[in-house]
Amino acid sequence: MGYDGLAERGHVDDYWVAYGSTAQDPYMTGGWTQHEHADCTADFMGTNQYAWGATDGATIFFGYTDGSPLYDYTGGEPDYRDGCHGMRLFAESRGYVVNQNFTQYILGYEGNVQGFSYEDFQGEIDAGRPVMIQVMGHSMMGFGYDTGTNKIYIHDTWDHSDHEMTWGGWYYDPSLIHYAVTVIRHVGHVVTAIIDEISPNPQQVG
């Protein structure tokens, strides 16, 4: 509230205590009604939100460890919100139809043979669809590639600059190993939205 013309409480006011905090959110302890989810993608993704099982600074993503894609997971609700499902909800709130959204381990991670490949990433970028890059403990947006070096180009929420890393390698620190992607495929702005719900039994991956 008070930033960028926001005249009422927003995401930080309602959900943020301190990095890594497991305490109840301020709207809970303060006794006020949380803001309506509208313009903030993190609202829909469950980021920082105690009610969705997330610590401050965290978003939860689920996936299958065998490398197969997990589509639009809602099986953790009402205890946990999958960040990939939340991205779909945000896109639909803006009037887009989402054809597919999924999180998938990358090919070869922990020996899997059916993961998302570098060629798959190139196909998404060539189709005009950025891909969320999942490294251990962090998510970034992949927007380009260099086939000659296996590099990918990314936007990182830690700053406002472009960065690069090797596909399947690590980013910034050796502990931030690239292990998965999150993909959302949508079509143009429309009035109605379609939600496809499934009930698998995956493992929380981040």
Side-chain angles (χ1 to χ4, degrees):
M1 185 165 55
Y3 286 87
D4 298 327
L6 188 63
E8 57 188 18
R9 292 187 180 100
H11 185 95
V12 172
D13 303 287
D14 286 348
Y15 307 131
W16 185 263
V17 177
Y19 181 76
S21 173
T22 59
Q24 288 189 328
D25 290 333
Y27 82 92
M28 295 175 167
T29 56
W32 66 77
T33 301
Q34 63 181 314
H35 68 285
E36 181 179 354
H37 293 178
D39 300 326
C40 179
T41 313
D43 285 350
F44 294 85
M45 295 172 69
T47 305
N48 305 316
Q49 296 172 52
Y50 178 89
W52 287 119
T55 60
D56 285 358
T59 306
I60 298 170
F61 290 87
F62 291 83
Y64 288 125
T65 56
D66 67 357
S68 57
L70 174 59
Y71 293 97
D72 195 35
Y73 180 60
T74 59
E77 299 187 8
D79 298 318
Y80 300 99
R81 165 61 54 80
D82 175 46
C84 179
H85 176 63
M87 290 173 61
R88 179 183 188 127
L89 294 179
F90 177 75
E92 290 174 338
S93 79
R94 314 315 293 170
Y96 291 88
V97 169
V98 178
N99 290 330
Q100 285 185 327
N101 61 296
F102 60 90
T103 293
Q104 186 175 11
Y105 275 51
I106 61 172
L107 181 65
Y109 180 74
E110 293 189 341
N112 80 72
V113 296
Q114 53 183 339
F116 194 90
S117 69
Y118 185 52
E119 290 72 26
D120 292 330
F121 176 78
Q122 294 175 59
E124 294 297 314
I125 300 304
D126 291 348
R129 295 187 294 261
V131 174
M132 184 171 283
I133 302 298
Q134 305 288 1
V135 298
M136 292 296 178
H138 193 43
S139 302
M140 304 172 290
M141 186 59 66
F143 66 89
Y145 62 86
D146 179 359
T147 55
T149 61
N150 277 2
K151 295 286 187 182
I152 59 173
Y153 301 106
I154 52 180
H155 289 306
D156 185 1
T157 55
W158 290 343
D159 58 32
H160 302 284
S161 302
D162 296 338
H163 299 272
E164 63 181 48
M165 64 174 289
T166 301
W167 176 265
W170 54 270
Y171 172 75
Y172 183 72
D173 181 279
S175 66
L176 301 180
I177 299 170
H178 180 207
Y179 70 98
V181 297
T182 297
V183 175
I184 183 166
R185 298 168 177 162
H186 61 74
V187 295
H189 193 274
V190 294
V191 175
T192 58
I194 300 171
I195 298 177
D196 176 24
E197 294 188 353
I198 61 174
S199 299
N201 184 29
Q203 175 179 335
Q204 181 176 326
V205 298

